[in-house]
Amino acid sequence: MADDKKRDDIAVEMSDPNEPPAPPRSAPNPAAAVANNPIIPILSYCVSSILMTVTNKFVLSGTGFNLNFFLLCVQSVVCVIAIQTCKTMGVITYRDFNSEEAKKWFPITILLIGMIYTSTKALQFLSIPVYTIFKNLTIILIAYGEVLWFGGSVTGMALFSFGLMVLSSVIAAWADIQHALQNYGHSNNAASDKISTLHAGYVWMLINCLSSAAYLLSMRKRIKLTNFKDFDTMFYNNLLSIPILLVCSFVVENWSSENINKNFPVAQRTNLMLAMIFSGLSSVFISYTSAWCVRVTSSTTYSMVGALNKLPIALSGLIFFDAPVTLPSVSAIAVGFISGIMYTLAKVRQSSKPKVVGLPTTNTPISASSQSMRDGLKP
């Protein structure tokens, strides 16, 4: 080390005096410094997630709102226009529309529509904290779906986090029902209506968890065949869903002038339409900030941010809406938050384990149901 240092000193002293001076160092670009600051994309992702959830709840909690398919159609149209504009401006890139790829992706779009429609119905009947807590149950279904279809595994720590997720959901449901009984009385018709609304929300939430797991697991398999990136997926999902949502809206939903005035009262019509457009833009912003967060930080940090982000989303329901603030409801949020952190840590610990390198000497035994599932998913 000392000899190397001496050689460097000699080299500096014996430099050619006629050699032109080195160009001055360029000043750091403030825009690049901001873009590469991990705090900015993390905060942007959290804010966009909260805004989209709160905006959807604002629209769905209107007086007797029942045009859910129309809401989703507007969001898809806004999303396609937004990402196409960003592509034209060179902000993002994704592949052009291809009919063969659209045919391959169409079944995934059907599953997506089932997921987002049941999501709006569940959010319509349940408060944001309860919705966020119950959404954790999707993680359990996906984890065991990966065990069956992709040869995944569930560690003891992950299993413990699943228990906490179930416990937080039970506490949240119990807190909701107790709050309804205390506010409306045991024999009042209002209490029965409120509890019936909650039960409808729980049913929609169960269907949403099942449809979400089916969509995400199927999309994982299909992405391997199409090699789609994030914005490719967003483009095809939203573009293919527009005609389906439009047809479902005109066939299933009531488009009488009376029902339209009920869904969009004159006093709130402009605000509701702006909120619907804004929620579509928020979905684009979430995808962009997700990719930004992974690029600037890491996938592990992004996973942890996703787990931590559930707390402010749940709290937003307590702040902006009339979600009950009781000891059981706050306890359910806390347990659900801890379960998400524990599951993320379990996944990080599992992914950090070194993989065995080399050829296996024996075949790993799997169940017949797992093998049939894998064979059925082969292209």
Side-chain angles (χ1 to χ4, degrees):
M1 289 295 293
D3 293 338
D4 292 340
K5 182 67 171 63
K6 290 179 181 178
R7 292 192 191 99
D8 293 339
D9 293 340
I10 295 173
V12 171
E13 291 173 1
M14 297 180 62
S15 60
D16 188 358
N18 297 323
E19 184 178 351
R25 293 181 180 178
S26 58
N29 188 356
V34 171
N36 293 322
N37 187 343
I39 298 178
I40 305 299
I42 289 174
L43 290 178
S44 300
Y45 170 73
C46 294
V47 170
S48 59
S49 302
I50 295 171
L51 286 177
M52 184 172 184
T53 304
V54 171
T55 305
N56 282 335
K57 182 62 177 177
F58 170 74
V59 176
L60 294 168
S61 61
T63 306
F65 188 87
N66 53 25
L67 297 177
N68 297 55
F69 281 120
F70 176 69
L71 167 64
L72 297 174
C73 185
V74 171
Q75 291 177 347
S76 295
V77 171
V78 171
C79 186
V80 170
I81 294 174
I83 61 176
Q84 184 61 46
T85 303
C86 292
K87 181 181 180 181
T88 304
M89 296 173 61
V91 179
I92 62 174
T93 59
Y94 57 86
R95 63 183 73 185
D96 295 327
F97 180 80
N98 183 284
S99 58
E100 293 299 321
E101 291 180 337
K103 291 178 182 178
K104 294 179 181 178
W105 196 257
F106 187 75
I108 306 301
T109 302
I110 298 296
L111 293 174
L112 170 70
I113 292 173
M115 180 187 74
I116 58 179
Y117 178 76
T118 55
S119 174
T120 60
K121 298 297 290 186
L123 188 59
Q124 190 169 7
F125 290 114
L126 300 175
S127 64
I128 291 179
V130 175
Y131 172 83
T132 305
I133 292 169
F134 271 84
K135 197 68 178 176
N136 280 339
L137 298 179
T138 307
I139 297 175
I140 303 176
L141 298 176
I142 294 174
Y144 282 101
E146 289 180 342
V147 171
L148 291 174
W149 293 346
F150 300 102
S153 61
V154 176
T155 63
M157 188 175 182
L159 192 62
F160 182 70
S161 69
F162 294 163
L164 290 179
M165 291 176 189
V166 174
L167 177 62
S168 65
S169 301
V170 172
I171 296 175
W174 176 76
D176 257 5
I177 295 174
Q178 286 296 113
H179 181 265
L181 293 175
Q182 290 174 1
N183 278 18
Y184 299 101
H186 291 268
S187 59
N188 199 339
N189 291 332
S192 300
D193 294 341
K194 181 63 176 178
I195 293 176
S196 298
T197 301
L198 293 175
H199 288 169
Y202 300 147
V203 172
W204 280 114
M205 195 72 244
L206 174 62
I207 300 173
N208 177 249
C209 290
L210 294 172
S211 58
S212 298
Y215 165 71
L216 293 171
L217 291 170
S218 301
M219 184 179 66
R220 175 180 172 181
K221 179 66 176 180
R222 187 61 61 179
I223 281 180
K224 292 183 178 180
L225 301 178
T226 59
N227 198 27
F228 273 8
K229 306 301 181 184
D230 287 342
F231 286 104
D232 298 325
T233 302
M234 175 177 284
F235 174 67
Y236 275 92
N237 272 338
N238 286 278
L239 185 64
L240 295 177
S241 64
I242 291 173
I244 303 173
L245 292 170
L246 200 59
V247 170
C248 290
S249 179
F250 281 112
V251 171
V252 176
E253 296 174 338
N254 183 4
W255 279 93
S256 65
S257 58
E258 180 182 356
N259 192 57
I260 292 175
N261 291 329
K262 178 182 178 182
N263 282 270
F264 300 100
V266 177
Q268 296 182 338
R269 186 167 298 172
T270 302
N271 291 336
L272 287 172
M273 293 303 298
L274 289 176
M276 293 168 71
I277 295 172
F278 186 76
S279 63
L281 293 174
S282 298
S283 65
V284 180
F285 197 51
I286 288 174
S287 295
Y288 183 80
T289 53
S290 298
W292 187 14
C293 188
V294 172
R295 178 179 60 82
V296 175
T297 59
S298 65
S299 57
T300 301
T301 303
Y302 172 71
S303 300
M304 185 60 69
V305 170
L308 295 172
N309 194 36
K310 292 185 181 298
L311 180 61
I313 291 177
L315 293 178
S316 67
L318 303 178
I319 297 172
F320 297 107
F321 298 95
D322 58 347
V325 183
T326 61
L327 180 60
S329 64
V330 174
S331 301
I333 294 174
V335 175
F337 175 70
I338 294 172
S339 68
I341 297 295
M342 288 197 62
Y343 178 73
T344 304
L345 292 174
K347 295 297 288 185
V348 170
R349 182 177 297 180
Q350 185 178 11
S351 62
S352 64
K353 290 182 179 180
K355 297 182 179 179
V356 179
V357 180
L359 295 175
T361 57
T362 59
N363 292 327
T364 304
I366 59 174
S367 64
S369 60
S370 300
Q371 185 62 54
S372 63
M373 284 287 188
R374 294 182 185 181
D375 293 339
L377 288 171
K378 290 179 180 178

